[in-house]
Amino acid sequence: MNVVLITGASRGLGAAVARILAEMDTAVVLNARSAKPLYELMAEIEANGGMALALPGDVGQLDTCRWLVAETIETFGRLDAIIHNAAVIDPIAPIAEADPQAWQTAVSVNLLGPVWLTQAALPHLRRQQGRVISVSSGAADYGIPGWGAYCATKGALNQFSRVLAEEEERVTAVAVRPGVVDTVMQNEIREKGATGMTVQAHSRFMEMHEQGNLLPPEKPGRAIALLALRAPREWNGRFLSWDDPDIATLNS
Ligand SMILES: NC(=O)c1ccc[n+]([C@@H]2O[C@H](COP(=O)([O-])OP(=O)(O)OC[C@H]3O[C@@H](n4cnc5c(N)ncnc54)[C@H](OP(=O)(O)O)[C@@H]3O)[C@@H](O)[C@H]2O)c1
């Protein structure tokens, strides 16, 4: 049975990916800071006949990253893929005004966590010819006013994924953008963006919500689950959109 570690699995996209992977006969290792929703998700997956392990902790801490991999191996004896999904959108503020400490947290969670977790996991991923899936964003490629830390860390995450793809012969690394998804992160953008973003940038997200155009997490969630289990070696280093027609070919 494949074993996949998913960060940010307590809600939103990460929880959707975990449920879909569990339905695809995969043992899922669930990480986020909030213990209660993680244990509830673990119980739900187990009640449906799946296998799950909840490991609460802050992925922005080196020790936590090493512990997550060690516990996964201790419990399941293997690791086939990591999905770097945990991220924070804060600080939503212009660079001139943003809290320096909030920038530091964003770099730790959105960038250094994936780096540290990958370093700890690589010996196991190489053994399985495994995969590293980085959940990125369209914001990796565009400058969005008020999103300095988020844009910078997602751009860096894409570059991390590309370099990993060049370096590792037995591991496949891809980054994926999930579209605009109906999660807590979008609530935060609508609320905090009213002051931290330009009116034009903020109103785009308000309108998408008002017009019912946000994606349910299950749609990009399925694409991410398919990538974690089946992304072919030839895709190493790619930055894909969740609805890339290539991903649909992995469905069969
Ligand atoms: N929603 C969108 O429209 C959208 C668009 C493009 C990209 N994305 C990307 O999709 C991914 C999932 O986002 P989402 O929309 O599902 O966001 P979300 O609802 O805010 O969920 C974020 C998840 O990350 C966890 N998390 C935050 N800080 C953490 C930390 N220090 N250590 C471990 N876990 C942490 C949260 O749980 P705890 O708070 O319990 O730790 C939560 O489970 C992110 O990488 C995001 O950048 C989202």
Side-chain angles (χ1 to χ4, degrees):
M1 184 184 257
N2 280 290
V3 177
V4 178
L5 194 164
I6 307 141
T7 66
S10 62
R11 61 174 190 247
L13 191 55
V17 173
R19 287 189 177 97
I20 292 163
L21 280 170
E23 282 165 16
M24 295 171 83
D25 252 350
T26 302
V28 285
V29 181
L30 312 168
N31 161 261
R33 289 165 305 175
S34 322
K36 192 164 175 277
L38 276 193
Y39 283 111
E40 285 169 358
L41 182 56
M42 179 173 84
E44 177 196 313
I45 288 170
E46 288 176 343
N48 290 329
M51 288 183 79
L53 173 67
L55 296 177
D58 180 351
V59 88
Q61 304 284 333
L62 176 58
D63 288 351
T64 306
C65 292
R66 291 177 173 165
W67 171 77
L68 288 175
V69 173
E71 287 294 311
T72 300
I73 298 303
E74 171 87 21
T75 306
F76 294 116
R78 61 188 279 174
L79 178 58
D80 296 272
I82 316 180
I83 301 175
H84 298 306
N85 170 76
V88 292
I89 185 84
D90 273 332
I92 299 182
I95 291 168
E97 294 158 22
D99 174 14
Q101 191 57 50
W103 257 84
Q104 192 154 14
T105 301
V107 172
S108 296
V109 178
N110 299 3
L111 178 62
L112 293 175
V115 174
W116 293 330
L117 201 49
T118 302
Q119 286 181 322
L122 272 175
H124 310 285
L125 294 173
R126 287 179 189 137
R127 203 167 299 133
Q128 301 305 129
Q129 300 197 34
R131 300 183 179 84
V132 176
I133 310 300
S134 295
V135 180
S136 185
S137 166
D141 283 345
Y142 303 98
I144 299 173
W147 287 18
Y150 189 76
C151 291
T153 52
K154 290 297 186 182
L157 183 68
N158 279 9
Q159 281 295 73
F160 157 77
S161 179
R162 289 184 185 113
V163 174
L164 188 68
E166 293 292 329
E167 290 178 352
E168 291 295 323
E169 286 175 9
R170 295 179 63 80
V171 174
T172 299
V174 300
V176 57
R177 49 186 287 183
V180 182
V181 195
D182 194 3
T183 66
V184 168
M185 189 175 278
Q186 284 295 324
N187 297 348
E188 285 185 59
I189 292 164
R190 289 194 299 276
E191 283 166 20
K192 298 180 192 168
T195 50
M197 298 168 72
T198 58
V199 172
Q200 195 186 16
H202 181 243
S203 61
R204 180 174 160 248
F205 290 94
M206 297 300 287
E207 280 163 21
M208 285 191 81
H209 180 247
E210 279 156 22
Q211 292 164 7
N213 287 336
L214 301 189
L215 291 165
E218 293 71 26
K219 280 196 171 184
R222 179 154 188 87
I224 293 165
L226 286 170
L227 286 171
L229 295 182
R230 300 178 190 162
R233 178 72 192 157
E234 308 85 77
W235 296 7
N236 200 25
R238 283 180 71 181
F239 175 34
L240 296 140
S241 180
W242 75 276
D243 57 353
D244 189 304
D246 282 352
I247 300 179
T249 67
L250 302 177
N251 237 323
S252 52

